[in-house]
Amino acid sequence: MTSRIIGTGSCLPDTVVTNDFLSTIMDTSDEWIASRTGIRERHLVKEETTASLSIEAARRALAEAGVEPEELDMIVVGTLTGDHITPSTACEVQAGLGAVNAVAFDINAACAGFIFGLHTVNAYIRSGMCRLALVIGAESLSRIMDWSDRSTCVLFGDGAGAAVIRAQENGLMAYDQGSDGEKGKYLACPNRTNNNPLVQTDKILAYTKMDGQEVYKFAVSYVPASIQKVLEEAGIAPSDVKYYLLHQANLRIIQSVAKRLKLSQDKFPISLDHCGNVSAASVPILLDEVNRKGLLEKGDKIILSGFGGGLTWGTCLMEW
Ligand code: COA
């Protein structure tokens, strides 16, 4: 028994923020951002929350799958920007949907969060503990950016993507995942303050700091290696995969992965131009866009791959 995706959905906040707008509030330009990253605009939350985006993305995925919320056994949300420390975003989604029979919890694996969620659900499915699940990647990253740090804040956006997963004979074919905590310092958001009466600490602000070049080096070496591992395990040639749906961090990273695998750029769909980097939400938003454009046919093989904070990475090969 394995996991098959039977419906996808996504939801982006209403407000679009262009590079040109950013250049009116900080020292940057459309030319600098677009030429280094491929990003032209991103959606940022105003009234929306991580939970509200997740619930809407989930409703759309359930509608496509023809599944009622009460049928769900599990809800797993990959996020590093849940609206509260507790309850989890997954529990808020459960309440919002009325998925009364689902066990619900979040996974924090940063930009690999959706993939880790998928692999976790797959493990539950293989053990017989789950039959029908919802996996979501959702973020409100704009809340944890330092908007005076132009080297980081211009890269990220907000949004949510969801997939309904059913236990079936065909679907997830092979996977790889890993973590390298030694490199965690290269992409970090230290936002916990100790408020107990025994310790006096300076207030630590909740913003994200990144060593862009170290993260870039990590991505262009670990991601192709992870993809190759999965392809070898499944005995599949790189050209047999229809699409490679990679975490949307930077166009140059995606181009480098395509080059390493000796594949045409056409096999790597892009959403970062209009979404920016949405961390855990990047892969499911892209998957939903590709699905809704009618680009996937039954039996197609696709690779999903996420990588980022932790540092973490995860890749899986799926039959559609
Ligand atoms: N607008 C204009 N100039 C900017 C800028 C911005 N938004 N951000 C940084 N700069 C400036 C820097 O201050 C620096 O100026 P200086 O040379 O006068 O000091 C110059 O541009 C080059 O900065 P640098 O950080 O060396 O740029 P870079 O070529 O490494 O590109 C990234 C920066 C972030 C685009 C690149 O490192 C990257 O994409 N890394 C991967 C990050 C990533 O994808 N993270 C998420 C993974 S989940």
Side-chain angles (χ1 to χ4, degrees), residues 80-112:
L80 54 91
T81 49
D83 303 311
H84 321 284
I85 291 174
T86 192
S88 66
T89 303
C91 283
E92 291 194 278
V93 171
Q94 187 215 22
L97 295 175
V100 289
N101 298 308
V103 62
F105 58 89
D106 289 356
I107 287 182
N108 180 342
C111 310

Side-chain angles (χ1 to χ4, degrees), residues 26-29 32-33 36-37 111 150-152 154-156 187 210-213 215-216 247 249-250 252-253 277 307-309:
M26 66 185 78
D27 183 14
T28 190
S29 64
W32 193 97
I33 301 170
R36 276 173 179 76
T37 70
C111 310
R150 65 179 181 170
S151 68
T152 302
V154 302
L155 306 175
F156 295 93
L187 179 48
M210 181 177 68
D211 182 332
Q213 290 177 5
V215 176
Y216 188 91
H247 170 48
N250 182 314
R252 290 188 305 169
I253 293 175
N277 177 345
F307 51 89

Side-chain angles (χ1 to χ4, degrees), residues 282-297:
S282 276
V283 171
I285 290 172
L286 180 63
L287 175 64
D288 185 48
E289 289 188 1
V290 167
N291 180 27
R292 284 182 194 264
K293 280 180 192 155
L295 298 174
L296 295 172
E297 285 168 33

